[in-house]
Amino acid sequence: MPPKLIVSDIDGTFLNPQGRVTARLRDAVLRAVDAGAHFGLATGRPHRWLIPVLDQLPLAPVCVCANGAVIYDPAADTVLHAFELAPDTMRDVVASVDRALAGVPHGYGVERVGQSALDPEEECFLVTPEYNPDAWDARFGVVEVAELVAVPAAKLLVRCESMMAAEMLDLIAPVVDPADAHVTYSMDEGLIEISQPGVNKAAGVSRLAARYGVEAGDVVAFGDMPNDLEMLAWAGLGVAMGNASPVLLDAADHVTATNDADGVAVVLERWF
């Protein structure tokens, strides 16, 4: 039976390596929606970073953003649900991470929810001076760590340019109590993403499914990185891209072609 809800990660999955939604994939999604299926995106991106993706689609699906911390309706430019880390929790996590990464240069960032996809970036994405010295950080707000964690946030980020994300996870995950926060990553370079306990893409997609009256067994989900693990395990059919992280390839129900070869469309074309 065709799925009743289709959910896809964005980077490395729905977008090709050039950051584009191919005509083949767009047409496959439209055929599925025309046939009665629901469609959504589930991403580590904040909702403010959806516009370049949604501009390539003739529909505006409700999206799971910030690894499940934000459910966003782009048609109304409205945050439907937000699940934030408390300042005290972030202070405790920063202290633990500082001990775990003692002697290794690292910095912190936060993604604050805000209200609209058009909120000023410097008010919603804040970083410490050590986060990243690259020029692209100039558009973000730069503050000291005390100010960074003074306001609830959808995600706390840890950046370390000298390490890969998997190496950081091995050091950070053991010192962060899962009852306090959820630790994951969505890119190989040194960036760890920390959210409220129980907040992940699976939790967000379950809310989408409930919104549409769809059971988990009728959901197909696509992903490529460890932050997609829970989502693929929850869905009735969890599909890893051919370019996916090894941990996802091992856990998925099915492996499709790479994002450069329209792997999402390859699967959808079996039904629609």
Side-chain angles (χ1 to χ4, degrees):
M1 292 287 293
K4 296 179 180 178
L5 173 61
I6 301 157
V7 181
S8 178
D9 169 54
I10 292 180
D11 298 289
T13 303
F14 199 72
L15 299 182
N16 67 13
Q18 291 73 45
R20 304 301 299 171
V21 179
T22 68
R24 178 184 179 184
L25 178 53
R26 183 181 62 248
D27 291 347
V29 169
L30 290 178
R31 284 196 301 272
V33 171
D34 287 345
H38 299 283
F39 173 70
L41 294 168
T43 179
R45 295 186 184 210
H47 56 288
R48 301 180 313 282
W49 296 3
L50 290 176
I51 293 172
V53 181
L54 297 176
D55 280 349
Q56 301 180 58
L57 296 174
L59 65 165
V62 174
C63 298
V64 176
C65 307
N67 288 333
V70 173
I71 312 298
Y72 174 70
D73 179 0
D77 188 26
T78 300
V79 173
L80 302 176
H81 303 281
F83 308 91
E84 298 169 289
L85 285 164
D88 286 348
T89 299
M90 290 190 286
R91 291 187 193 100
D92 291 344
V93 170
V94 165
S96 296
V97 172
D98 281 345
R99 289 191 293 270
L101 297 182
V104 180
H106 61 282
Y108 296 95
V110 291
E111 292 177 2
R112 296 179 181 170
V113 176
Q115 299 296 322
S116 165
L118 301 178
D119 286 340
E121 191 72 5
E122 66 272 14
E123 295 179 7
C124 296
F125 198 117
L126 287 78
V127 300
T128 64
E130 303 83 6
Y131 181 82
N132 194 332
D134 291 347
W136 57 265
D137 278 351
R139 64 193 180 101
F140 301 154
V142 180
V143 297
E144 295 301 326
V145 69
E147 182 177 349
L148 188 86
V149 301
V151 175
K155 281 201 294 188
L156 172 67
L157 307 170
V158 187
R159 181 87 177 184
C160 179
E161 290 192 319
S162 65
M163 302 178 71
M164 301 298 285
E167 298 175 285
M168 294 177 67
L169 186 71
D170 288 343
L171 294 174
I172 292 173
V175 304
V176 177
D177 189 333
D180 294 331
H182 175 68
V183 183
T184 189
Y185 66 93
S186 60
M187 56 186 286
D188 290 327
E189 291 76 15
L191 184 68
I192 291 294
E193 302 164 56
I194 301 171
S195 304
Q196 194 184 87
V199 169
N200 53 48
K201 289 188 181 183
V205 173
S206 71
R207 287 181 175 272
L208 281 192
R211 178 185 179 91
Y212 302 127
V214 174
E215 300 293 328
D218 291 318
V219 178
V220 58
F222 299 85
D224 73 311
M225 291 298 288
N227 65 326
D228 298 314
L229 270 171
E230 295 90 353
M231 177 175 72
L232 266 60
W234 179 87
L237 180 64
V239 181
M241 305 302 291
N243 52 286
S245 167
V247 67
L248 216 66
L249 294 172
D250 291 341
D253 300 312
H254 177 73
V255 177
T256 186
T258 67
N259 65 322
D260 200 21
D262 281 318
V264 175
V266 168
V267 174
L268 296 184
E269 286 167 353
R270 299 179 181 180
W271 294 299
F272 305 105

